């Protein structure tokens, strides 16, 4: 090879290398996923559940899986009398659980009136992923759980049984004054990819009629997510939430430009106006796709947890 040819090749080599390098950089830049700061928000004072969801997000788990990790904490907590194991039974003394999940693609799953299965939010996800259906109820949901390796366990603890026996002496169903007994767990997570997923899990209202289902497992009422907009969850007197398809309404209001707080307020006002001076509790909690959160409630006593950057904060919500 003569000297000129050698230098020419060297130059071409340098040139093409730098083009490749440039292209490589350009490609890398274009394809580089935007890493978002994960956020988790959770109804009521479920500090540990929200923290676990936040930790799962930090470790890179997707939004729905993280929300379920959080919900499982309360489902397994015998001291929580309104979610999972230790939940308050119906009038006949049977604990039945409801749960719904939704992911960023708009997939959803739910289970209604399930007996003896603790982690119903995981079960709802299995319905979503492993069946051609969206909802399974009662015995069918339980059989599906058994087939998928869930262990059956009595959900009635000594404590919840004692309280039920006490209630039976004067069996008045009064969810209006039951503010302290609304403790459904609703978690919304925003993961590092900027996707939103969520869960709603409950044992329903204390001493409900046998077979009663509330808003929590009804997609659009207790939970709704649209990844282009945000997500919402609800807690409180389910019958009133169902009547306005509450969580769907909150998300649609955000789509129309409302902030999460404004959307929750407006949805709640619809219930407020229909029920002059309502004594029951209802709260909405919303998260938009940018990570802004907001909430609204009817009565004193509602707060929510918000996890971001290793901080898990309790935020009190003033009634509208
Ligand atoms: N919303 C639930 C239901 O009506 C109850 C609750 O939030 O505690 O079943």
């Amino acid at each position: 090879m003569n000297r000129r040819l050698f230098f020419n090749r060297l130059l071409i080599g340098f040139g093409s290398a730098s083009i490749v390098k440039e292209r490589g950089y350009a490609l890398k830049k274009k394809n580089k996923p935007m890493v978002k700061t994960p956020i988790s928000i959770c109804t009521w004072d479920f500090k540990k559940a929200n923290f676990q969801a936040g930790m799962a997000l930090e470790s890179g788990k997707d939004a729905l899986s993280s929300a379920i990790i959080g919900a499982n904490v309360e489902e397994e907590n015998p001291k929580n009398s309104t979610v999972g194991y230790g939940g308050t039974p119906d009038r006949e003394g049977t604990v039945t659980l409801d749960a719904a999940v939704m992911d960023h693609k708009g997939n959803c799953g739910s289970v209604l009136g399930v007996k003896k299965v603790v982690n119903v939010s995981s079960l709802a996800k299995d319905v979503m992923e492993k069946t051609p259906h969206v909802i399974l109820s009662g015995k069918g949901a339980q059989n599906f759980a058994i087939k998928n390796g869930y262990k059956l366990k009595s959900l009635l603890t000594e404590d919840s049984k004692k309280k039920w026996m006490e209630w039976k002496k004067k069996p008045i169903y009064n969810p209006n004054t039951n503010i302290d007994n609304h403790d459904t767990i609703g978690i919304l997570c925003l993961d590092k990819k900027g996707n939103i997923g969520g869960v709603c899990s409950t044992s329903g209202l204390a001493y409900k009629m046998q077979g009663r289902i509330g808003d929590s497992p009804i997609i659009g009422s207790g939970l709704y997510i649209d990844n282009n907009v945000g997500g919402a969850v609800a807690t409180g007197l389910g019958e009133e939430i169902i009547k306005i398809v509450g969580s769907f309404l909150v998300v649609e209001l955000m789509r129309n430009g409302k902030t999460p707080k404004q959307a929750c307020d407006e949805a709640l006002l619809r219930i407020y106006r229909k029920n002059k001076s309502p004594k029951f509790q209802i709260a909405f909690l919303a998260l938009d796709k940018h990570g802004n959160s907001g909430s609204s409630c009817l009565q004193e006593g509602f707060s929510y947890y918000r996890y971001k950057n290793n901080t898990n904060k309790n935020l009190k919500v003033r009634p509208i």
Side-chain angles (χ1 to χ4, degrees):
M1 197 186 297
N2 66 33
R3 274 170 70 108
R4 189 179 295 161
L5 194 61
F6 173 77
F7 280 116
N8 279 351
R9 284 208 178 152
L10 204 64
L11 278 174
I12 290 165
F14 275 140
S16 54
S18 69
I19 287 166
V20 169
K21 207 173 155 199
E22 246 179 61
R23 280 208 191 120
Y25 175 69
L27 268 179
K28 234 173 139 188
K29 213 176 159 190
K30 201 174 158 200
N31 289 346
K32 199 177 166 194
M34 283 258 290
V35 177
K36 302 256 177 154
T37 307
I39 292 171
S40 177
I41 58 172
C42 177
T43 54
W44 302 102
D45 54 358
F46 301 131
K47 185 178 182 179
K48 188 174 166 202
N50 199 49
F51 187 71
Q52 294 293 339
M55 287 290 98
L57 289 167
E58 296 288 4
S59 77
K61 286 210 165 25
D62 67 83
L64 177 54
S65 307
S66 304
I68 287 176
I69 285 170
N72 285 171
V73 171
E74 285 309 318
E75 287 168 347
E76 288 160 20
N77 176 5
K79 294 212 170 98
N80 183 334
S81 61
T82 48
V83 179
Y85 177 57
T88 306
D90 63 17
R91 289 169 201 191
E92 322 304 320
T94 309
V95 182
T96 58
L97 305 181
D98 307 325
V101 300
M102 194 154 182
D103 73 8
H104 65 285
K105 291 182 180 158
N107 298 312
C108 49
S110 83
V111 290
L112 279 61
V114 188
K115 294 176 190 167
K116 295 190 174 174
V117 177
V118 176
N119 294 127
V120 275
S121 58
S122 306
L123 187 61
K125 186 169 184 264
D126 281 336
V127 170
M128 178 181 102
E129 289 173 347
K130 298 178 184 165
T131 79
H133 308 301
V134 168
I135 304 172
L136 287 183
S137 72
K139 196 74 191 150
Q142 195 190 60
N143 285 340
F144 173 70
I146 296 166
K147 275 194 194 121
N148 281 277
Y150 290 76
K151 297 270 171 291
L152 297 191
K153 168 177 180 170
S154 170
L155 301 174
L156 195 67
T157 55
E158 272 313 306
D159 197 41
S160 49
K161 188 175 173 184
K162 230 201 238 160
K163 285 185 184 145
W164 168 65
M165 306 266 270
E166 206 41 53
W167 176 82
K168 276 213 307 182
K169 290 181 190 161
K170 216 175 159 199
I172 298 167
Y173 178 66
N174 192 1
N176 284 3
T177 55
N178 213 6
I179 293 164
D180 295 337
N181 265 340
H182 294 293
D183 287 292
T184 289
I185 187 162
I187 306 188
L188 294 166
C189 288
L190 180 76
D191 64 27
K192 287 184 175 175
K193 289 185 177 159
N195 290 326
I196 301 174
V199 169
C200 195
S201 180
T202 190
S203 56
L205 291 176
Y207 314 123
K208 59 195 177 186
M209 285 177 71
Q210 192 174 37
R212 179 265 185 193
I213 301 292
D215 61 303
S216 310
I218 311 293
I219 305 296
S221 290
L223 166 74
Y224 193 71
I225 287 162
D226 181 324
N227 211 43
N228 294 321
V229 179
V233 284
T235 177
L237 187 63
E239 282 73 6
E240 293 302 316
I241 299 165
I242 291 171
K243 287 177 197 167
I244 64 154
V245 199
S247 294
F248 180 73
L249 176 60
V250 171
V251 172
E252 289 308 298
L253 288 165
M254 290 197 288
R255 189 194 306 283
N256 292 335
K258 303 268 186 230
T259 64
K261 170 70 179 153
Q262 288 167 343
C264 291
D265 280 352
E266 190 166 331
L268 206 59
L269 274 175
R270 293 199 192 179
I271 294 172
Y272 185 86
R273 287 190 196 113
K274 279 206 295 168
N275 301 270
K276 288 162 200 140
S277 311
K279 293 203 174 62
F280 52 81
Q281 176 68 301
I282 288 181
F284 288 116
L285 177 60
L287 180 70
D288 72 15
K289 64 174 181 171
H290 307 293
N292 304 305
S293 60
S295 179
S296 193
C297 63
L298 283 177
Q299 314 290 343
E300 289 288 349
F302 181 72
S303 66
Y304 72 96
Y305 265 90
R306 180 182 160 95
Y307 173 94
K308 190 181 178 184
N309 290 332
N310 247 328
T311 311
N312 197 26
K313 250 199 210 161
N314 186 243
L315 301 162
K316 303 252 174 290
V317 182
R318 265 202 273 146
I320 51 165

